[in-house]
Amino acid sequence: MRPSYLDLLETGELEERVEALEKLLERCTVCPRDCLNDRLRDERAACHAGRLPIVSSYTPHFGEEPALVGERGAGNIFFGLCNLRCVYCQNYQISQNYREEKRNEVTHERLAEIMLELQERGCHNINFVSPTHFAPQMARAILIAAQKGLRLPIVYNTNAYDSVEVLRLLDRIVDIYLPDLKYADSEAGYVYSKVRDYTEHARRAIREMYRQMGDELIFDENGLLKRGLVIRLLVLPNDLAGIRESLEWIRDELSPRVAISLMAQYYPTNRAGTDRRYILLSRRITEAEWWRAVSLLGELGLEEGWMQEYDGAAFYYRPDFTDRETPFRDIRDFQKGS
């Protein structure tokens, strides 16, 4: 059950993978934007990320899927900035605020220390949130931390606008892939997340994740997820995500046994809550919209995974990253009504 990056460490292949990933920063092709800027010299392009990783917050987190949270929480590390510009991003305080986030740059060694600290605090995994634009830096920190005793599974919690080349280099470095599949239509991706060909790139990326993981989830004796692929689908108002089409693609092109995490947590925030151009996103999903999405799982024969509770989901998942240590309320207290 030990993470496979430890095998790579022992053979020396982990360091080779890290070096190959860092090579991509010279003319950045770390994500499908292919900006071609030299990030090793701190040249910045679309995502504003440079040579060093930006850590906006790290904390034991109790709002992920139950098999990641367990009793002591997922060890979430929230990277700053993002390669998307979602107008409804719930983490917009850190994903779209370069001037503020620049001050949160850390060294690779410090990022490794953070991982070891989360392990010491009893977290069940290291859950990198929005890692795409910092994948090489993430891998370097994993190498350093593994040399110093890191033994937790690595979760790659991504928007899926990922490079297949990068994902191939992450094979057996990452233990659990947790991608969003945001849209079934790339036009929606352009309007609401400001990138071209989102659906095509995300599906290619998820297909590569599936190649690595297959459709089997591997748990330990306590029910904690140790390895596998879980695809997240966020239900948007007015079916802007195209849930049926995405579920059909997963079933037909991957496997009906792939685990799905269906999410009800949408609420209008960032520009979606104020800009009239995004009026279709200016409200919570209705209960009828939620149950239509839920019913599709049974209709299409997709039975593996999790779904959020409709009541309360849109209220708990409202982070405030001005509190860097605890940006989320503890969902265990929230469920008690405290």
Side-chain angles (χ1 to χ4, degrees):
M1 298 296 291
R2 77 175 195 158
S4 51
Y5 61 79
L6 295 175
D7 296 329
L8 297 179
L9 176 67
E10 291 176 357
T11 64
E13 188 175 348
L14 181 56
E15 186 162 6
E16 293 174 5
R17 298 276 196 91
V18 170
E19 291 173 354
L21 284 161
E22 289 176 335
K23 187 74 174 174
L24 301 177
L25 294 171
E26 291 181 356
R27 298 180 75 250
C28 189
T29 55
V30 169
C31 88
R33 283 183 177 273
D34 289 342
C35 292
L36 304 181
N37 54 312
D38 187 349
R39 288 176 58 187
L40 297 179
R41 296 177 178 269
D42 261 345
E43 293 178 5
R44 299 172 190 270
C47 73
H48 297 290
R51 182 177 67 87
L52 293 176
I54 291 175
V55 175
S56 301
S57 176
Y58 67 95
T59 184
H61 186 50
F62 294 88
E64 309 289 15
E65 287 73 7
L68 296 175
V69 167
E71 294 184 357
R72 297 190 298 274
N76 278 31
I77 298 175
F78 293 89
F79 282 128
L81 310 181
C82 185
N83 62 335
L84 303 188
R85 290 292 181 272
C86 300
V87 299
Y88 53 89
C89 179
Q90 295 173 347
N91 295 350
Y92 71 95
Q93 291 168 304
I94 62 174
S95 68
Q96 301 180 26
N97 193 352
Y98 163 67
R99 288 180 177 83
E100 288 295 320
E101 291 307 304
K102 169 69 173 172
R103 69 183 67 178
N104 293 316
E105 278 190 343
V106 299
T107 64
H108 302 85
E109 291 75 14
R110 174 57 187 148
L111 179 53
E113 289 174 0
I114 289 170
M115 297 161 67
L116 293 168
E117 179 183 332
L118 290 169
Q119 177 173 265
E120 181 66 23
R121 293 169 70 178
C123 294
H124 300 297
N125 49 66
I126 300 297
N127 182 9
F128 288 104
V129 182
S130 300
T132 299
H133 53 306
F134 287 124
Q137 293 89 339
M138 177 195 78
R140 171 64 67 182
I142 291 170
L143 170 62
I144 296 169
Q147 291 169 334
K148 296 182 177 182
L150 184 71
R151 295 296 183 268
L152 295 181
I154 299 297
V155 183
Y156 192 81
N157 185 339
T158 175
N159 59 40
Y161 199 62
D162 285 284
S163 159
V164 171
E165 180 181 9
V166 167
L167 294 173
R168 287 174 179 158
L169 290 169
L170 292 177
D171 188 5
R172 292 187 294 150
I173 298 176
V174 169
D175 300 286
I176 300 162
Y177 283 111
L178 192 61
D180 297 328
L181 185 50
K182 291 181 176 295
Y183 312 104
D185 179 358
S186 278
E187 182 178 351
Y190 182 68
V191 173
Y192 300 119
S193 294
K194 311 306 176 188
V195 289
R196 298 185 184 278
D197 302 321
Y198 170 85
T199 304
E200 291 81 359
H201 286 295
R203 287 180 175 180
R204 279 197 289 269
I206 291 172
R207 194 186 296 276
E208 171 59 22
M209 298 175 197
Y210 175 75
R211 183 194 69 78
Q212 295 178 26
M213 298 294 176
D215 59 14
E216 181 183 7
L217 299 182
I218 298 176
F219 301 90
D220 70 6
E221 65 278 7
N222 298 312
L224 293 168
L225 184 59
K226 294 298 183 180
R227 182 173 176 83
L229 166 66
V230 179
I231 302 176
R232 284 175 162 177
L233 298 177
L234 175 64
V235 180
L236 297 177
N238 299 294
D239 195 31
L240 294 177
I243 296 295
R244 174 184 284 276
E245 291 85 349
S246 287
L247 289 173
E248 288 177 339
W249 178 80
I250 292 167
R251 181 195 64 186
D252 298 341
E253 300 297 325
L254 303 181
S255 163
R257 288 181 47 80
V258 167
I260 305 297
S261 181
L262 194 65
M263 300 189 297
Q265 70 189 55
Y266 179 81
Y267 68 96
T269 187
N270 193 16
R271 296 169 65 189
T274 58
D275 192 327
R276 296 290 294 176
R277 288 178 295 176
Y278 308 116
I279 192 169
L280 293 177
L281 287 169
S282 63
R283 61 169 175 81
R284 280 195 64 198
I285 62 171
T286 66
E287 193 166 6
E289 287 174 320
W290 171 245
W291 287 112
R292 276 197 295 272
V294 169
S295 69
L296 288 171
L297 296 172
E299 177 186 333
L300 299 175
L302 296 155
E303 299 179 355
E304 301 294 329
W306 297 268
M307 65 181 71
Q308 290 176 334
E309 301 257 350
Y310 175 77
D311 292 333
F315 297 99
Y316 167 69
Y317 294 95
R318 297 189 180 209
D320 180 4
F321 283 96
T322 61
D323 182 351
R324 301 276 170 166
E325 292 188 5
T326 54
F328 288 87
R329 288 182 62 185
D330 190 326
I331 195 168
R332 297 169 300 175
D333 294 334
F334 182 84
Q335 289 169 334
K336 298 171 187 172
S338 63

